[in-house]
Amino acid sequence: MARAFGGQSMFQPMRRVLVKRPDEVFAVKDPERWHYLASPDLAAAQEEHDSMVETLRQSGAEVVYHEKPQPDRADAIYVFDPTLLTDHGAVVLRMGKDLRRGEEEALSRRLQELGIPILLSLGGEARAEGGDLLWLDDQTLAVGIGFRTNQEGLRQLRAGLESLGIEVLAFELPYFTGPEACLHLLSLISILDRDLAVAYPPLIPVPFWQELEARGFQLVVVPEEEFGTMGTNVLALGPRNCLVLEGNPVTRRRLEEAGCRVSSYKGNEISLKCEGGPTCLTLPLLRQA
């Protein structure tokens, strides 16, 4: 099958991407329950999402939608998290946030409709979210162990992927602000080219930083004041061609100085209120040079 998402191609030009447009379920009236800063304004959220999707199309990507209703699953717009896509098919994960359980099955059915087979489904006590899974190259997957991904999730991922020649490396994430917050491995880093990543080093585990250094990565450092506004959450549209959340001027300037072409989107409702940036809002299905 054509490469879906993984390895070096995670920064190759994005040809096909899946999104879920915000609907009434997203406009929660109880933001504290969802760990949102405030209730999203649905009309504004849809306008922001539509604008972001138009940017994806202008970059050359075909956009497909995940339209199945997800009652009481406000986070379902963050389509990156329920699965891991590989060259061999999709791995159906098990969400670490209790309120997100059930998203996995609905998204896996949509992927099958789009011709992507299911390679593996995690089960039992396993917990793993896509935001904790980062391809370092074609055959190496980094896994962040924290409040959303546990040791059993790691064990099942290794059992399913190492037989395909994929090495799975584990790195323990910091406590930071506790179990209710969403601190994924991808909250700390985004890879933008074979040797370039944007990152927030103060929270990166030392062994992970050493792995990046050994692989020759240049790090564009996000300042402390822009970590909270998701300066690290950057979507590669192609090599050194990226999409960032508005409101991170220092990070944007540093990306441009590193040779990146930078586009931005307004995300007051779909991102800043709800802990989900452009990588969370998108599931690249095909990247191809």
Side-chain angles (χ1 to χ4, degrees):
M1 61 179 288
R3 177 178 294 279
F5 183 86
Q8 296 177 7
S9 71
M10 67 186 301
F11 53 76
Q12 293 294 1
M14 190 163 58
R15 304 303 186 188
R16 199 179 198 202
V17 60
L18 180 141
V19 299
K20 183 171 181 58
R21 191 172 190 258
D23 58 16
E24 290 77 8
V25 175
F26 178 64
V28 296
K29 304 304 180 187
D30 48 355
E32 296 84 5
R33 177 183 177 226
W34 289 91
H35 206 259
Y36 290 0
L37 294 178
S39 296
D41 178 290
L42 180 57
Q46 290 176 334
E47 182 177 341
E48 290 177 356
H49 194 271
D50 292 344
S51 178
M52 184 197 72
V53 165
E54 183 57 30
T55 300
L56 298 177
R57 290 195 174 109
Q58 290 177 2
S59 77
E62 174 195 2
V63 178
V64 296
Y65 283 87
H66 177 33
E67 296 177 330
K68 182 175 177 60
Q70 298 280 288
D72 200 32
R73 293 179 187 145
D75 283 344
I77 71 165
Y78 302 117
V79 290
F80 187 79
D81 290 316
T83 61
L84 171 73
L85 297 190
T86 77
D87 290 351
H88 307 275
V91 177
V92 182
L93 306 174
R94 285 178 64 80
M95 305 300 286
K97 183 176 180 178
D98 290 343
L99 290 171
R100 299 196 67 176
R101 302 279 168 76
E103 289 182 34
E104 309 95 328
E105 181 181 356
L107 184 54
S108 68
R109 288 198 300 270
R110 180 64 177 128
L111 293 179
Q112 290 176 84
E113 291 172 357
L114 294 168
I116 298 175
I118 302 303
L119 171 67
L120 168 70
S121 294
L122 303 191
E125 296 303 311
R127 298 292 180 265
E129 294 188 356
D132 282 328
L133 310 179
L134 177 68
W135 293 100
L136 297 179
D137 61 37
D138 283 343
Q139 298 300 122
T140 312
L141 180 70
V143 178
I145 303 299
F147 292 116
R148 301 296 181 89
T149 298
N150 64 13
Q151 291 290 340
E152 178 60 15
L154 170 65
R155 187 192 70 77
Q156 291 188 27
L157 283 168
R158 276 190 170 141
L161 296 178
E162 290 191 343
S163 63
L164 301 172
I166 296 172
E167 183 181 13
V168 179
L169 305 177
F171 302 95
E172 293 188 2
L173 297 176
Y175 178 89
F176 193 45
T177 58
E180 297 305 315
C182 181
L183 185 76
H184 283 138
L185 180 62
L186 286 167
S187 301
L188 311 178
I189 183 170
S190 298
I191 292 179
L192 305 177
D193 203 345
R194 192 181 310 275
D195 57 356
L196 183 71
V198 56
Y200 184 65
L203 291 179
I204 288 180
V206 170
F208 184 50
W209 180 87
Q210 292 170 331
E211 182 71 26
L212 295 170
E213 185 181 45
R215 290 171 176 269
F217 274 98
Q218 173 193 351
L219 297 184
V220 174
V221 175
V222 172
E224 180 179 1
E225 61 272 19
E226 293 184 5
F227 176 69
T229 51
M230 287 180 274
T232 51
N233 197 311
V234 178
L235 177 66
L237 303 173
R240 300 189 186 231
N241 178 14
C242 57
L243 179 64
V244 303
L245 176 61
E246 281 185 5
N248 294 297
V250 175
T251 300
R252 178 170 187 152
R253 174 174 53 80
R254 291 176 179 177
L255 287 167
E256 291 171 341
E257 289 172 349
C260 292
R261 175 185 175 187
V262 183
S263 302
S264 65
Y265 75 100
K266 182 178 179 181
N268 293 339
E269 306 299 324
I270 58 176
S271 293
L272 291 174
K273 286 184 178 179
C274 310
E275 299 184 304
T279 60
C280 312
L281 288 160
T282 55
L283 181 61
L285 302 179
L286 177 65
R287 289 185 181 272
Q288 203 169 60

